[in-house]
């Protein structure tokens, strides 16, 4: 197996021939590589694609021929952390179900349902089972909605795990001038990675050599066709449409479908493009720290604009409905409106029944269920 590996990946220790020139070694530079936060103002791939391989190697304090030294790689690994996606704590299905019951419209519906059951239970028709139909129906709708929403969100939570699996266990890199097989989590900025057909790109790379390299970026951009890559810098022509990814960069999680090449690591872990997608899925805080109702995790950052707008709409309709019902209740009591079928009953009891009935009719209990089913299809 060692001979096959050697035949597949010939050592790259000789001086490179005119593709990119020769870069200075680590000992000839005194500057430190830019930190993760220093590259936040502009994406690392956008900066790297506009610079030559030599300039990128100088900025990252690496050597295009020898790669990083073992000590330098260990220091950067301790500084930046492992090259892997962070996984926020995943709430259980029961926790997600309980969280669905804390929405404003859902709370209004449960209050209206309880009020309907209480009023009908103290009214003249309390022995009639059909008088409790409204309250029971609301509770059924609320539970169905919470169950579907919890299951949908539970399945969507597997997206981060799927992203984290879009890599292979190990990859060939240049360390101290030798080609070595290293675990992907130990890859750091400035490493020179050797790519071949069938490899999964372990981090965001600026290519320094490319021989008929094609990469599948479907997982990153949705592009179904393989994308040809080059190490060269191509100036953008006037009127040429903006490309989804730079031609001289390859990205973490994308698979090499053809050719071979080498690239210098410009971003690892959560700073890669796939890491930024994971950050968007997890929310602005990475899915940690935020809670609501004291103990439940807050997933409001993951809500779509449609869900947010409908939540606001339902809240406004609910508040207006409650306000109208309170006014009707006050007017009815002031006018001493009693139940025509039971004139001896107090006016306030009859008007509570009327107000609760109006509130149940006005609060849009169908919105949460319709939105949940629509988004789950």
């Amino acid at each position: 197996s060692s001979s096959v590996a050697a035949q597949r990946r010939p050592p790259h220790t000789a001086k490179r021939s005119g593709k990119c020139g020769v870069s200075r070694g680590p000992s000839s530079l005194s500057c430190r590589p830019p930190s993760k936060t220093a590259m936040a103002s502009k994406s690392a791939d956008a900066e790297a694609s506009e610079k030559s391989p030599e300039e990128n190697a100088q900025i990252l304090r690496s050597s295009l021929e020898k790669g990083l030294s073992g000590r330098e790689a260990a220091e950067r690994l301790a500084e930046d952390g492992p090259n892997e996606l962070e996984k926020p704590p995943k709430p259980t299905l029961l926790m997600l179900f309980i969280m669905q019951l804390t929405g404003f419209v859902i709370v209004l519906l449960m209050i209206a349902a309880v009020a309907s059951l209480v009023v009908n239970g103290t009214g003249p028709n309390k022995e009639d089972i059909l008088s409790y139909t409204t309250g029971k129906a609301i509770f059924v709708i609320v539970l169905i909605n919470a169950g579907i929403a919890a299951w949908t969100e539970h399945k969507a939570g597997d997206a981060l795990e799927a992203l984290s699996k879009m890599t292979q266990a190990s990859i060939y890199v240049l360390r101290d001038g030798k080609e070595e097989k290293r675990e992907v989590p130990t890859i750091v900025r400035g490493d020179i990675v050797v790519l071949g057909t069938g490899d999964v790109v372990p981090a965001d790379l600026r290519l320094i050599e490319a021989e008929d390299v094609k990469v599948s970026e479907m997982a990153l951009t949705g592009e179904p066709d393989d994308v040809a890559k080059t190490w060269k810098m191509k100036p953008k022509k006037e009127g040429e449409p903006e490309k989804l990814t730079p031609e001289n960069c390859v990205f973490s999680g994308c698979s090499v479908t053809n050719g071979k090449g080498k690239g210098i690591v410009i971003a690892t872990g959560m700073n890669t493009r796939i890491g930024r997608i994971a950050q968007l899925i997890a929310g602005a805080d990475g899915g940690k720290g935020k809670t609501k109702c004291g103990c439940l995790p807050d997933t409001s950052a993951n809500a779509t604009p449609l869900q947010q707008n409908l939540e606001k709409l339902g809240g406004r309709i609910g508040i207006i409905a409650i306000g109208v019902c309170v006014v009707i209740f006050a007017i009815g009591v002031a006018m001493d409106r009693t139940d025509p079928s039971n004139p001896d009953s107090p006016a306030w009891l009859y008007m509570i029944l009327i107000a609760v009935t109006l509130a149940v009719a006005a609060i849009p209990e169908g919105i949460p269920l319709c939105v949940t089913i629509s988004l789950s299809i």
Side-chain angles (χ1 to χ4, degrees):
S1 60
S2 60
S3 61
V4 174
Q7 183 178 3
R8 176 175 176 262
R9 300 189 183 279
H12 292 268
T13 55
K15 285 194 174 182
R16 302 163 63 248
S17 57
K19 285 188 177 180
C20 302
V22 178
S23 171
R24 291 180 289 173
S27 60
S28 62
L29 298 171
S30 59
C31 61
R32 293 288 300 169
S35 64
K36 293 189 287 185
T37 54
M39 302 175 102
S41 58
K42 188 176 183 181
S43 62
D45 54 86
E47 285 189 344
S49 64
E50 298 170 359
K51 294 180 173 63
S52 67
E54 292 80 15
E55 290 174 318
N56 281 294
Q58 182 174 349
I59 292 172
L60 291 166
R61 196 169 178 260
S62 182
S63 168
L64 298 181
E65 283 69 43
K66 296 183 179 181
L68 295 173
S69 65
R71 186 178 69 175
E72 181 68 19
E75 291 177 357
R76 296 187 187 186
L77 182 62
E79 177 186 350
D80 296 344
N83 175 36
E84 57 189 10
L85 300 182
E86 297 175 359
K87 297 180 181 179
K90 187 178 178 180
T92 63
L93 186 60
L94 177 60
M95 185 68 71
L96 289 173
F97 180 80
I98 296 174
M99 288 164 55
Q100 304 304 319
L101 303 178
T102 61
F104 182 73
V105 177
I106 299 298
V107 171
L108 286 180
L109 287 172
M110 290 191 292
I111 293 174
V114 171
S116 176
L117 294 175
V118 170
V119 169
N120 285 285
T122 57
N125 299 323
K126 60 182 179 180
E127 302 297 334
D128 186 4
I129 298 179
L130 295 178
S131 62
Y132 303 98
T133 302
T134 301
K136 292 178 180 178
I138 293 176
F139 274 120
V140 170
I141 290 176
V142 166
L143 293 177
I144 292 176
N145 171 78
I148 295 176
W151 177 253
T152 303
E153 191 166 341
H154 177 72
K155 298 299 290 184
D158 296 336
L160 277 179
E161 294 185 8
L163 288 176
S164 64
K165 293 177 181 178
M166 291 171 54
T167 185
Q168 61 191 46
S170 58
I171 197 77
Y172 284 91
V173 299
L174 292 180
R175 292 276 175 89
D176 295 310
K178 298 178 181 179
E179 189 175 311
E180 302 176 355
K181 197 170 186 179
R182 294 283 181 172
E183 299 295 319
V184 167
T186 64
I187 302 298
V188 297
R189 290 176 299 114
D191 262 330
I192 305 299
V193 176
V194 183
L195 297 174
T197 302
D199 284 338
V200 178
V201 182
D204 288 0
L205 310 178
R206 164 60 163 96
L207 289 175
I208 61 175
E209 288 184 9
E211 297 181 18
D212 299 323
V213 172
K214 289 186 178 180
V215 177
S216 173
E217 296 183 341
M218 182 181 293
L220 187 66
T221 64
E223 175 63 44
D225 299 326
D226 295 341
V227 181
K229 296 292 183 177
T230 178
W231 65 267
K232 300 176 181 178
M233 292 187 297
K234 292 185 177 181
K236 183 180 177 182
K237 298 179 182 179
E238 186 176 352
E240 185 180 6
E242 189 74 23
K243 295 189 176 181
L244 295 175
T245 58
E247 286 185 330
N248 52 18
C249 292
V250 291
F251 300 94
S252 177
C254 300
S255 57
V256 180
T257 58
N258 186 72
K260 61 180 180 179
K262 291 197 297 183
I264 184 169
V265 178
I266 55 178
T268 61
M270 296 299 288
N271 292 303
T272 61
R273 283 206 179 187
I274 207 74
R276 278 175 252 156
I277 294 175
Q279 184 73 21
L280 290 174
I281 295 175
D285 64 339
K288 302 176 182 178
K290 283 190 175 182
T291 59
K292 62 180 180 179
C293 300
C295 59
L296 299 177
D298 186 6
T299 59
S300 58
N302 298 335
T304 65
L306 175 63
Q307 290 173 310
Q308 294 173 354
N309 291 333
L310 287 177
E311 182 74 14
K312 292 178 182 178
L313 175 63
R316 290 169 185 165
I317 294 176
I319 292 174
I320 294 174
I322 291 175
V324 170
C325 293
V326 169
V327 171
I328 291 176
F329 172 78
I331 294 175
V333 172
M335 296 179 65
D336 196 25
R337 292 284 186 179
T338 57
D339 187 356
S341 61
N342 187 14
D344 296 331
S345 63
W348 64 267
L349 182 60
Y350 177 65
M351 290 312 301
I352 284 181
L353 179 61
I354 296 298
V356 169
T357 303
L358 290 175
V360 170
I363 294 175
E365 69 273 8
I367 284 183
L369 183 59
C370 292
V371 172
T372 299
I373 295 176
S374 299
L375 294 179
S376 63
I377 295 176

